[in-house]
Amino acid sequence: MFYSQLDIHEIENSSLALFDLQGVSRIYCGSLCLGEHCCKEFMYDENIERCVGIHFEAFHNTRNTNILSSDGMLKYRKGCETGWLEFKGHCYYKGNTKVNWSDAKTECSKMCSYLIEIESKEEAEWISATFLENMNCGSDVFDCTAWTGLNDLDIEGTYVWDHSNAPLTFSNWHYHEPSLGTPSQALTRDCIDILRGGVWNDRPCSYLQNWVICEKSFEQ
């Protein structure tokens, strides 16, 4: 985990205060942010020892606090937390939890993160090599899988990423997937998982996966 100092001009009034304290050290302020999954960054004023933790906008459910910047207030952005791995500016975490797609979303949301959204073949292969290929499961490619955020729950055959609501611009389907060629199966297979090798497969959203992989970006 690391912090990077941001330019003072990036600081704006906000209602996203996770905590707002005075009379604490910069180190203590950073440790508070480190211990909070939902702390994206912190602001600190050395002159008055004011410490403000900033919440992720997409997961904001905290009280409103008007954060007024001052000449002495600097912002520090957090990097990947302990237990999370970084790839191209995003952080990833694998949890050993047997969950369906909806519950997997909830598990990620608790950590102010979301089910993985895969934007390139390189990312798909990295996720597979990092999280799937060292799993202790069967030898079949369909034995070691994890949910992604991709789904066609709203419109059959129209896939979107759940967190960003972005349309599908890159795909990496397993051979004969998705099940659109067999409509009787496709109608019940609306959620997408990733297999070994980074390829994708559609399943019923009620299917219980053995792992959940969450993603977050501190640039958002």
Side-chain angles (χ1 to χ4, degrees):
M1 204 289 302
F2 64 91
Y3 289 97
S4 57
Q5 184 172 315
L6 304 180
D7 190 273
I8 185 66
H9 298 297
E10 296 184 41
I11 299 175
E12 300 176 352
N13 292 347
S14 174
S15 62
L16 297 169
L18 188 62
F19 50 81
D20 189 349
L21 306 171
Q22 283 190 294
V24 300
S25 69
R26 191 197 316 265
I27 292 175
Y28 181 76
C29 189
S31 68
L32 285 179
C33 191
L34 173 62
E36 289 277 359
H37 282 300
C38 290
C39 187
K40 173 184 176 182
E41 56 206 10
F42 74 91
M43 297 163 62
Y44 188 78
D45 188 329
E46 189 76 39
N47 298 318
I48 59 175
E49 296 183 322
R50 185 184 180 196
C51 164
V52 181
I54 308 299
H55 203 289
F56 279 91
E57 291 88 340
F59 301 93
H60 178 228
N61 59 0
T62 58
R63 63 183 176 86
N64 288 338
T65 299
N66 192 37
I67 302 171
L68 297 176
S69 63
S70 63
D71 290 341
M73 184 165 280
L74 297 174
K75 183 186 286 187
Y76 299 85
R77 178 169 293 162
K78 189 166 72 170
C80 297
E81 302 156 61
T82 303
W84 294 69
L85 299 177
E86 189 272 339
F87 180 78
K88 293 190 178 296
H90 289 227
C91 306
Y92 300 80
Y93 173 85
K94 184 186 79 172
N96 187 0
T97 306
K98 198 174 186 70
V99 285
N100 60 33
W101 189 78
S102 179
D103 288 343
K105 279 180 53 179
T106 300
E107 289 300 309
C108 291
S109 182
K110 289 176 182 177
M111 298 183 285
C112 281
S113 61
Y114 48 89
L115 287 173
I116 48 176
E117 299 193 352
I118 304 169
E119 299 177 349
S120 67
K121 187 174 180 63
E122 182 183 11
E123 183 183 7
E125 291 177 345
W126 179 84
I127 290 171
S128 173
T130 304
F131 298 112
L132 301 179
E133 293 176 15
N134 59 358
M135 287 181 178
N136 183 22
C137 48
S139 58
D140 190 276
V141 67
F142 288 94
D143 291 337
C144 291
T145 63
W147 288 123
T148 74
L150 193 63
N151 68 90
D152 66 343
L153 285 164
D154 290 337
I155 303 174
E156 184 64 32
T158 300
Y159 295 96
V160 296
W161 294 108
D162 179 71
H163 175 71
S164 65
N165 201 35
L168 188 62
T169 57
F170 160 78
S171 62
N172 198 37
W173 296 107
H174 185 269
Y175 186 64
H176 283 162
E177 301 295 341
S179 305
L180 298 178
T182 52
S184 61
Q185 295 183 11
L187 289 173
T188 61
R189 298 183 179 186
D190 294 322
C191 295
I192 311 305
D193 56 11
I194 183 172
L195 320 177
R196 280 176 174 167
V199 293
W200 307 348
N201 166 62
D202 59 353
R203 290 190 195 267
C205 300
S206 59
Y207 180 82
L208 296 179
Q209 299 279 11
N210 288 314
W211 296 274
V212 56
I213 302 177
C214 303
E215 177 181 358
K216 66 171 68 174
S217 171
F218 290 90
E219 298 300 319
Q220 297 177 338

